[in-house]
Amino acid sequence: MGSQVLAKPKEEEDGKRQQDEEYQELEHLTGSSALYVLPPGFIESSCHSRIFWMKLNKLLLQGKFFQLEINDPYAGPILLDKKLASRCGYVLSEDVWGNPVFRASVLGCHVANEADELFSLIVNIKVSSFSSMRAAVTYTYPMYCSYSSWASREIVCEENYMETQNVAYQLWQLMFVSPSGRKTITVSDAAKLGYSFNNTLSRVYLRAPYHSNESDVSMVSGVNMNMVTSTSMYRQRWLLLLIDTTVSCPVDTLPEERLFNVAFGHFLPDVSLVAIAIGNVPFTLREAQHHRFKIYETPFSNRTKGFILEVSFDDPYVLKEYVNRNETKYTLLINYTISVGPEMTLYYHSAEVECVIADIELPEAVGSCDEENLYLAIPTFGLHQYWNLYLGNKLLNRHVAVTNGYLPATNSTHLILQIPLFAVGVTYEEVSFQKIKARFDVTLRKVRTMETLQKFSVSCNFNSSAFIICHPDGTIMVSAQMKTVPAIDMSKTKLRDRSCKPREYNEGHAFFKFHVTTCGTSVKVELKDKSPHAKLYLENCWVTRSPDFNSTPRWNITVDGQVVIE
């Protein structure tokens, strides 16, 4: 989460006016053919101490998509993504009203720096009516900030990065101290690990992502702190300087307790928390406590204080999203209202906290069989909310189940599917006159992405005295039972084509296996309409191996209305 140094309102207004004038000058110098005039009220910006701050009006982005690009003075526009943001000191989030908010450190990777006092950053806002961002309109917006009252050591805690700044010398090596031991590496190697180092005229800074391999979490005054303990080694002429570049910021969540624990600030005693908004819903402090949000102050050793907010993951104002295979992403949107000084001037700060927890158990199915059916019992938890059942590529809903001859039933915990042996969708792995080995499969897929998570199968052996099974590839298998009196020799039975003899036989059964185009197979069409005026038109019909009638190979049944078998 972010920590913020508050500027006076008049200074913010002066900064805004200066930026508007500079923007007009930039538009004049660059030639307006490549620039679009900003819609009135679209952008609001200011300088919050050493932070660039810019807000976009969501009302002017309704029904549209947008991206931000950072203008590098040498490389040109660079698309802002999460990796670039944490490495270079940028944040893109939303305020409690849903307006996009962009923040950048004045020591960010692409900030133009004049003597560590004047800073400028140019941002492109690309807006399109299409998610692919084609036909995008680009608005170029420059920002300018001044900051000269540097302390010898400063720390910034933002939502996606931690930053510490010191007086600059010639950087040589860095040493990290973590629970796994000491590690001394060069600056270039540290950059490969996600850290960002740079020197300005008089400053040097370290920027670190949260929860890196070199970080550690420890409890300080009741608050979990993510800490990177590091020492920077500098050379100045014949001296070797060791400077502590340790940075520590509060961590946002307590997953094991299913609880957000959010720390806000180091503040002086004259700062008070007045109200909060959670998930766009405003609360006074009394209302928040009544709603079972826990809010309390925590003192720090340097005589400052912070505010702690605890919110349950299960609170209705927490956003929940099913992600990955078995995880839930919980998102807490916060807007703080604080008053400062005897004038009780109000200021606002927004934060977005996310936590991903593996708290969803994927269902496991249980299969069984009786003499004529296969059964699958599948837990109903999460069904239709997180995932659906599919038969091949078809959604297995109640209509499909009944149409295919299945008998679905539910109780308080499970869906039980009864699948007859010869129903649609049953796969016959092995067929003989002695047994049928049959299998039934369904897949579990995500509702939103259709990603396959699990495959549920039940497979059993059946004894069936008489059956006809047709495979999609045109193979037909028939088990014929002897019912004549007197008995006949089943080995001498034949089909219409007398060359087609049983593959297997015994005293009571004969088993035949042949292709639909052989053994004298005929086509029979029955009309349900018995009217003497009813006519059947079969111009061109054929059989394929798959449900796709355009697939090959295929075997013609009728050609120009004439019945044929190829």
Side-chain angles (χ1 to χ4, degrees):
M1 61 161 291
S3 118
Q4 180 179 26
V5 179
L6 301 172
K8 294 181 180 179
K10 182 177 184 304
E11 293 176 351
E12 294 180 5
E13 292 174 2
D14 292 343
K16 175 66 168 62
R17 189 179 302 111
Q18 178 188 355
Q19 289 173 22
D20 290 342
E21 293 172 354
E22 295 283 0
Y23 177 76
Q24 294 171 4
E25 179 182 353
L26 176 68
E27 184 177 22
H28 173 73
L29 292 174
T30 57
S32 59
S33 61
L35 298 175
Y36 289 84
V37 177
L38 287 169
F42 180 39
I43 296 180
E44 178 185 344
S45 66
S46 61
C47 300
H48 291 190
S49 184
R50 55 176 177 266
I51 300 294
F52 292 100
W53 182 90
M54 179 181 73
K55 180 177 74 174
L56 305 181
N57 190 335
K58 72 172 184 179
L59 298 179
L60 299 179
L61 289 171
Q62 287 185 350
K64 299 183 183 298
F65 301 88
F66 81 98
Q67 291 178 342
L68 294 187
E69 292 179 337
I70 308 300
N71 266 314
D72 185 282
Y74 306 102
I78 300 175
L79 181 65
L80 178 64
D81 57 23
K82 289 186 177 181
K83 185 175 182 180
L84 179 73
S86 63
R87 183 173 61 85
C88 287
Y90 307 133
V91 177
L92 180 59
S93 61
E94 290 184 352
D95 64 15
V96 72
W97 296 279
N99 297 299
V101 173
F102 170 74
R103 297 190 299 274
S105 168
V106 296
L107 296 180
C109 298
H110 311 96
V111 174
N113 183 336
E114 296 183 23
D116 283 338
E117 294 185 356
L118 299 176
F119 307 91
S120 62
L121 179 65
I122 299 176
V123 179
N124 291 342
I125 304 102
K126 302 183 70 174
V127 181
S128 173
S129 298
F130 307 96
S131 59
S132 63
M133 297 304 294
R134 64 184 177 90
V137 173
T138 301
Y139 302 102
T140 297
Y141 192 79
M143 293 187 287
Y144 303 89
C145 287
S146 61
Y147 187 70
S148 58
S149 55
W150 294 98
S152 60
R153 176 181 173 86
E154 298 191 7
I155 292 177
V156 175
C157 294
E158 259 293 3
E159 294 181 19
N160 57 343
Y161 69 87
M162 303 179 288
E163 183 180 276
T164 180
Q165 308 156 10
N166 298 81
V167 178
Y169 299 95
Q170 183 182 359
L171 187 57
W172 180 35
Q173 286 183 326
L174 294 134
M175 181 174 66
F176 293 99
V177 180
S178 66
S180 60
R182 296 175 180 266
K183 178 192 297 184
T184 301
I185 57 177
T186 63
V187 174
S188 59
D189 287 339
K192 296 175 184 178
L193 299 176
Y195 296 93
S196 180
F197 299 87
N198 207 348
N199 283 65
T200 66
L201 182 65
S202 61
R203 312 290 300 178
V204 64
Y205 65 85
L206 175 150
R207 188 177 297 118
Y210 286 99
H211 306 296
S212 64
N213 290 335
E214 293 72 35
S215 67
D216 188 24
V217 176
S218 59
M219 185 73 71
V220 179
S221 300
V223 179
N224 279 334
M225 304 292 288
N226 187 237
M227 180 179 296
V228 175
T229 303
S230 64
T231 299
S232 299
M233 303 178 185
Y234 302 92
R235 288 184 300 179
Q236 188 182 36
R237 295 190 178 182
W238 301 108
L239 296 177
L240 175 63
L241 301 180
L242 303 180
I243 298 180
D244 183 11
T245 47
T246 296
V247 59
S248 179
C249 289
V251 183
D252 301 315
T253 59
L254 298 174
E256 65 277 4
E257 298 180 15
R258 297 186 58 79
L259 189 70
F260 286 103
N261 182 284
V262 186
F264 178 41
H266 283 253
F267 294 106
L268 295 175
D270 63 348
V271 175
S272 299
L273 182 62
V274 176
I276 62 169
I278 302 294
N280 299 332
V281 179
F283 294 91
T284 64
L285 296 188
R286 178 173 294 183
E287 290 171 339
Q289 297 285 2
H290 181 72
H291 188 75
R292 297 186 179 179
F293 298 141
K294 190 174 181 181
I295 304 174
Y296 55 93
E297 290 187 5
T298 181
F300 297 108
S301 58
N302 60 357
R303 298 183 181 179
T304 62
K305 65 180 180 180
F307 302 104
I308 307 298
L309 169 66
E310 293 184 359
V311 179
S312 169
F313 286 172
D314 301 314
D315 189 274
Y317 295 113
V318 173
L319 303 179
K320 304 168 184 68
E321 180 185 0
Y322 170 51
V323 296
N324 303 322
R325 286 181 57 85
N326 63 335
E327 298 174 331
T328 305
K329 180 172 74 173
Y330 299 92
T331 303
L332 180 64
L333 302 176
I334 316 168
N335 191 60
Y336 298 93
T337 302
I338 60 174
S339 67
V340 179
E343 300 86 1
M344 301 183 69
T345 305
L346 295 181
Y347 293 91
Y348 306 92
H349 177 78
S350 62
E352 178 177 330
V353 186
E354 292 183 354
C355 190
V356 178
I357 304 296
D359 57 359
I360 295 178
E361 183 176 355
L362 290 179
E364 294 290 341
V366 177
S368 61
C369 297
D370 59 21
E371 292 182 356
E372 299 178 345
N373 302 278
L374 302 95
Y375 296 87
L376 265 180
I378 304 168
T380 54
F381 168 77
L383 201 58
H384 311 309
Q385 178 185 4
Y386 301 136
W387 40 69
N388 282 319
L389 294 175
Y390 278 78
L391 180 63
N393 290 321
K394 182 181 293 186
L395 176 65
L396 182 57
N397 52 29
R398 178 169 288 274
H399 173 73
V400 171
V402 173
T403 301
N404 287 357
Y406 313 152
L407 297 177
T410 57
N411 57 28
S412 60
T413 60
H414 285 76
L415 165 68
I416 296 95
L417 281 176
Q418 177 183 333
I419 306 99
L421 173 59
F422 299 111
V424 176
V426 176
T427 300
Y428 305 100
E429 298 179 300
E430 183 181 341
V431 179
S432 69
F433 76 96
Q434 296 174 334
K435 72 172 182 178
I436 299 175
K437 185 177 182 181
R439 191 185 77 245
F440 181 75
D441 303 322
V442 293
T443 55
L444 190 74
R445 297 187 182 183
K446 283 187 178 181
V447 169
R448 291 180 58 186
T449 66
M450 300 281 290
E451 175 190 350
T452 298
L453 300 172
Q454 299 271 55
K455 180 179 179 181
F456 302 139
S457 297
V458 55
S459 179
C460 294
N461 293 326
F462 294 86
N463 295 318
S464 184
S465 58
F467 58 81
I468 299 176
I469 295 177
C470 300
H471 274 277
D473 65 358
T475 301
I476 298 177
M477 290 169 286
V478 178
S479 177
Q481 187 177 13
M482 193 272 290
K483 293 185 178 180
T484 62
V485 178
I488 62 174
D489 184 353
M490 298 301 287
S491 67
K492 297 180 179 180
T493 57
K494 299 178 179 63
L495 298 181
R496 179 179 297 176
D497 182 340
R498 303 183 66 82
S499 65
C500 292
K501 299 178 180 180
R503 292 283 187 97
E504 299 178 67
Y505 57 87
N506 61 14
E507 292 181 356
H509 294 84
F511 176 71
F512 297 87
K513 182 177 181 180
F514 56 94
H515 195 270
V516 69
T517 60
T518 63
C519 294
T521 307
S522 61
V523 177
K524 182 179 180 181
V525 179
E526 293 185 358
L527 288 178
K528 293 183 179 179
D529 189 343
K530 302 302 182 181
S531 168
H533 303 290
K535 294 183 180 180
L536 176 64
Y537 294 93
L538 294 175
E539 293 186 358
N540 293 283
C541 297
W542 59 85
V543 175
T544 65
R545 287 181 174 175
S546 74
D548 181 2
F549 67 89
N550 288 318
S551 65
T552 57
R554 69 186 189 186
W555 297 270
N556 289 325
I557 297 175
T558 68
V559 176
D560 297 328
Q562 301 298 316
V563 177
V564 298
I565 295 292
E566 292 183 348

